[in-house]
Amino acid sequence: MSGRIATDYEIKDSGNRNMSASYTEAELPYVHKVGKPPKQDLLKEIKTTLKETFLSDDPLKPFKDQPRKKKFVLGLQAFFPILSWSRDYSFSKFKGDFIAGCTIASLCIPQDIGYAKLANLLPQYGLYTSFVPPLIYAFMGSSRDIAIGPVAVVSLLLGTMLQNEVDPVKQKHEYLRLAFTATFFAGITQAALGFLRLGFLIDFLSHAAIVGFMGGAAVTIALQQLKGLFGIKNFTKKTDIVSVMRSVINSAHHGWNWQTILIGVSFLIFLLVAKFIGKRNKRLFWVPAIAPLISVIVSTFFVFITHAERHGVNIVRHIEKGINPSSVHEIYFSGPYLTKGFKIGVVAGLIALTEAVAIGRTFASMKDYQLDGNKEMVALGTMNIIGSMTSCYVATGSFSRSAVNYMAGCNTAVSNIVMSMIVMLTLFVITPLFKYTPNAILASIIISAVVGLIDIDAVLLLWKIDKFDFIACMGAFFGVIFVSVEIGLLISVVISFAKILLQVTRPRTALLGKIPRTSVYRNIEQYPGATRVPGVLIIRVDSAIYFSNSNYIKERILRWLTEEEETFKDHPKVEYLIVDMSPVTDIDTSGIHALEELQSSLYKRKVQLVLTNPGQTVLDKLHASHFADHIGEDKIFLTVNDAVLTLAPKMEQA
């Protein structure tokens, strides 16, 4: 609906002068009238909102207008993506996947043994976790590059939370059962989020919080490895930096073993140099990938021929041979440990999910393909549920192994199958050879692996871009290293929500001025050359107006008016206050009530309220509440420029 403002009208000048002017139709600029929007179908609106929330990717679109048989096939492919991409699989792709699978297997085997120790579990459970879950993921996952297995952060988190409930030494069997129970509920949590399409919930953990949490966890993990690196026997069970350093220093005179330190530090230097070489030259990615396995082989050989274990060097000793035994009967489905396992599983599952989805999205963007987040959650959840029944603990995507997988030239998830088969052969044949592997090597492998989790560049970027994000990052970091992993995680979540609340309750508002020789109005702080229109105050609200911020927005607008009148006393008095509502995506009853109060306050000051460019949702609610009738439809405009041209043409032309 469009129209032209009346051809003859009075223009009230500021101050004591009143001037009337007649404008012919040819002289008047065209002003598009903002009419009442068509009535919205409430049911359709609710349906659209639910669809955008839970089905934004329209997963049912491929099934439309398809025969029943085709729908069945598409349904199977939706749950098992391998049925889709395997049709185009070729030997050339298998060569890339085979090389990648062998490469990540050489990296994961020594890491798995070390990560199991982080979780206070026997070494074979780390290897079990790199056998069954990768096979399940290969059939159900949608990422081509992610490498599945135990990871340092989740292992530490799981180990820390489990030992708070059960002593891993005195109550070995109960501890193991609780670990499987937590893994089961971690999988249930992940799969439920995927099935219910609630993946958007993990986005509430901000990037800044993740950077800080990962960095703090990396420092904590590295400090925990000082026990193995120095050969300390009596070591604190706490994870905070103060307790760990006190334990290390107190054992310096009698608890350190120089042979262990020599082995650990020597191979740590070797691993860091190998990592540096791989980082400098991308073609040599295989050097840091095979360095851990080389370290294990060489150190194990030297310990075996010198019998260093007789001189205080701690070794792995026995690793149980054979593939995963069933653990279905070990999961707690009743009793007091059920709720404890559920609590630990939910936390571990969410962290594992966040890490895996972040890794999957990173590599998907690098290869330019789409990653279905909800399918990923279902795949990760299913593999952990099955894993909990086959003696595995929480598995997820590993960034270091996924990076090696990517650089080794993987094409599909078959690389995970190849890795899984090599781990299976290791469990059947090679595990007895790890008997003389020194714990110092596992400690040095873990330290070299977690160094990459400390992202200094990301922290510096956070400082440059958003100081609040930097505070969130540092809060999570210091919470982890000075208190505990759980507290650091809690701090990161709290700060992330605090940022959201702050942005919602204290939205930005801006004073607008006209850019010279244009009809554009912009923030005068951003564009100092923008000029004010005499007698008119133009303010933009950069947020939806809800109950949480409506009162603040009203008071902030009135403060703008007071400040303007005090600053420009010699200028014409403000007669019109224009609120640009372009960024206002929604408004509730509290917001409309705040506008009514604002209009009432402005009326007492003899200032007229004018609105510009309200969106369809906002305009519909303004009419439904009769506020549009109360303010007058002639006070609602399409643009700020239309409002100024109509209400203050003399001022605008000046």
Side-chain angles (χ1 to χ4, degrees):
M1 181 177 179
S2 63
R4 184 178 298 279
I5 306 301
T7 56
D8 295 300
Y9 55 89
E10 287 286 317
I11 303 170
K12 293 185 179 180
D13 197 3
S14 302
N16 297 322
R17 294 174 303 166
N18 291 320
M19 296 180 63
S20 63
S22 297
Y23 287 83
T24 65
E25 190 171 334
E27 291 174 324
L28 277 172
Y30 176 78
V31 176
H32 193 89
K33 186 177 180 181
V34 179
K36 187 175 181 179
K39 188 172 180 61
Q40 297 297 305
D41 185 339
L42 180 61
L43 187 61
K44 183 180 178 181
E45 189 176 346
I46 293 172
K47 185 179 177 182
T48 302
T49 303
L50 290 173
K51 182 182 177 183
E52 287 302 312
T53 303
F54 301 105
L55 303 168
S56 58
D57 55 345
D58 198 5
L60 301 178
K61 186 178 180 181
F63 294 86
K64 291 178 182 177
D65 304 321
Q66 296 289 347
R68 186 174 296 178
K69 186 177 179 181
K70 181 68 173 176
K71 286 181 179 179
F72 177 74
V73 173
L74 289 172
L76 284 177
Q77 290 176 352
F79 278 102
F80 302 102
I82 193 171
L83 298 176
S84 177
W85 55 259
S86 62
R87 291 179 299 175
D88 302 320
Y89 200 67
S90 62
F91 182 72
S92 60
K93 287 183 178 180
F94 176 73
K95 286 194 293 184
D97 288 335
F98 182 77
I99 293 170
C102 292
T103 308
I104 57 176
S106 68
L107 177 62
C108 86
I109 291 169
Q111 281 187 350
D112 291 347
I113 297 171
Y115 292 159
K117 286 186 172 292
L118 270 181
N120 300 313
L121 295 169
L122 294 173
Q124 62 264 25
Y125 293 105
L127 294 171
Y128 293 161
T129 306
S130 277
F131 171 45
V132 173
L135 283 178
I136 306 301
Y137 182 83
F139 282 85
M140 298 188 67
S142 56
S143 173
R144 305 172 194 169
D145 306 279
I146 196 168
I148 297 296
V151 297
V153 173
V154 177
S155 298
L156 175 69
L157 179 66
L158 196 65
T160 304
M161 295 184 75
L162 287 173
Q163 74 177 6
N164 288 339
E165 303 294 342
V166 179
D167 191 305
V169 178
K170 296 178 182 178
Q171 298 171 285
K172 258 185 186 177
H173 187 62
E174 288 78 5
Y175 184 90
L176 185 61
R177 292 188 66 184
L178 190 58
F180 294 148
T181 306
T183 302
F184 176 79
F185 284 111
I188 292 291
T189 301
Q190 294 168 338
L193 288 174
F195 274 119
L196 299 175
R197 307 189 70 80
L198 298 174
F200 60 87
L201 293 177
I202 65 172
D203 292 331
F204 280 97
L205 196 61
S206 68
H207 172 69
I210 292 171
V211 169
F213 175 74
M214 289 294 187
V219 172
T220 302
I221 291 167
L223 290 172
Q224 289 287 305
Q225 300 316 301
L226 294 179
K227 175 186 178 181
L229 200 67
F230 292 166
I232 302 170
K233 292 182 179 179
N234 297 319
F235 199 73
T236 180
K237 291 183 179 179
K238 296 180 180 179
T239 59
D240 64 282
I241 188 171
V242 176
S243 299
V244 171
M245 293 312 298
R246 185 184 291 123
S247 183
V248 171
I249 294 168
N250 289 342
S251 61
H253 297 295
H254 54 84
W256 293 11
N257 181 274
W258 70 267
Q259 292 98 330
T260 302
I261 295 172
L262 179 63
I263 294 170
V265 172
S266 299
F267 282 98
L268 178 59
I269 293 170
F270 168 70
L271 290 166
L272 293 175
V273 169
K275 189 180 281 282
F276 177 76
I277 291 170
K279 196 172 183 179
R280 288 291 298 270
N281 190 340
K282 298 298 181 184
R283 293 181 180 179
L284 298 176
F285 68 89
W286 52 271
V287 173
I290 66 169
L293 191 59
I294 291 173
S295 301
V296 168
I297 294 170
V298 173
S299 63
T300 302
F301 176 73
F302 275 110
V303 169
F304 175 73
I305 62 172
T306 61
H307 285 288
E309 77 279 4
R310 297 175 184 173
H311 301 283
V313 175
N314 293 320
I315 58 175
V316 172
R317 299 194 185 277
H318 177 69
I319 298 180
E320 195 166 319
K321 195 175 178 182
I323 59 171
N324 310 35
S326 173
S327 56
V328 177
H329 59 285
E330 300 286 356
I331 299 172
Y332 287 111
F333 291 109
S334 62
Y337 287 123
L338 174 63
T339 53
K340 293 176 181 178
F342 175 78
K343 180 187 72 173
I344 296 169
V346 169
V347 175
L350 289 175
I351 293 299
L353 194 60
T354 303
E355 186 170 357
V357 171
I359 293 167
R361 285 174 179 170
T362 299
F363 290 104
S365 64
M366 291 169 70
K367 283 192 175 179
D368 194 27
Y369 66 89
Q370 293 298 316
L371 190 73
D372 190 324
N374 290 297
K375 282 183 182 177
E376 283 296 284
M377 293 175 199
V378 173
L380 292 164
T382 304
M383 77 179 190
N384 277 316
I385 291 170
I386 296 174
S388 69
M389 300 176 182
T390 52
S391 298
C392 304
Y393 72 95
V394 181
T396 187
S398 164
F399 188 83
S400 59
R401 273 174 270 173
S402 298
V404 169
N405 196 31
Y406 171 82
M407 290 186 286
C410 72
N411 295 299
T412 66
V414 169
S415 60
N416 273 295
I417 298 176
V418 173
M419 177 192 73
S420 179
M421 292 299 102
I422 294 174
V423 172
M424 181 190 71
L425 290 173
T426 301
L427 285 164
F428 267 124
V429 181
I430 307 174
T431 48
L433 301 179
F434 288 110
K435 179 181 178 181
Y436 289 97
T437 300
N439 288 334
I441 284 299
L442 302 178
S444 59
I445 288 170
I446 293 173
I447 291 172
S448 65
V450 299
V451 164
L453 295 177
I454 304 172
D455 197 342
I456 302 295
D457 292 336
V459 175
L460 294 175
L461 190 62
L462 289 173
W463 172 258
K464 291 178 183 177
I465 295 175
D466 192 321
K467 300 299 186 290
F468 201 96
D469 271 351
F470 178 79
I471 293 171
C473 177
M474 289 295 99
F477 178 80
F478 288 118
V480 171
I481 66 170
F482 281 107
V483 188
S484 67
V485 178
E486 307 99 289
I487 295 299
L489 179 62
L490 180 62
I491 290 172
S492 64
V493 172
V494 169
I495 294 178
S496 296
F497 273 99
K499 182 183 178 182
I500 295 172
L501 289 173
L502 189 63
Q503 290 175 336
V504 169
T505 58
R506 293 295 182 268
R508 296 181 185 274
T509 55
L511 192 63
L512 306 186
K514 185 183 178 186
I515 304 294
R517 291 178 290 184
T518 71
S519 60
V520 177
Y521 290 79
R522 290 292 182 268
N523 187 346
I524 60 174
E525 290 186 3
Q526 184 180 359
Y527 298 93
T531 57
R532 291 175 169 83
V533 179
V536 179
L537 182 65
I538 309 167
I539 295 171
R540 188 184 67 219
V541 179
D542 294 336
S543 165
I545 305 176
Y546 291 132
F547 66 93
S548 58
N549 61 22
S550 57
N551 194 54
Y552 168 79
I553 290 173
K554 178 197 72 175
E555 291 177 353
R556 186 68 187 96
I557 290 173
L558 291 174
R559 276 209 316 275
W560 275 120
L561 179 61
T562 303
E563 290 168 7
E564 187 78 2
E565 290 176 341
E566 290 176 353
T567 306
F568 300 97
K569 292 180 180 178
D570 299 332
H571 290 66
K573 183 181 179 298
V574 173
E575 293 186 18
Y576 298 101
L577 191 146
I578 300 175
V579 179
D580 181 9
M581 303 187 77
S582 304
V584 180
T585 56
D586 201 359
I587 191 169
D588 64 4
T589 52
S590 297
I592 292 171
H593 184 62
L595 289 180
E596 291 172 348
E597 290 180 347
L598 175 64
Q599 188 194 26
S600 178
S601 298
L602 293 175
Y603 179 78
K604 294 174 183 177
R605 298 190 185 197
K606 297 182 180 179
V607 177
Q608 294 188 49
L609 176 63
V610 178
L611 306 180
T612 65
N613 198 23
Q616 180 181 355
T617 303
V618 174
L619 190 59
D620 189 50
K621 291 182 179 181
L622 292 178
H623 279 281
S625 64
H626 302 293
F627 181 75
D629 300 329
H630 185 60
I631 192 177
E633 289 190 24
D634 60 334
K635 295 296 188 294
I636 302 176
F637 294 87
L638 188 64
T639 67
V640 173
N641 189 58
D642 285 352
V644 173
L645 286 174
T646 303
L647 300 172
K650 184 190 72 62
M651 298 172 186
E652 208 282 332
Q653 291 173 3

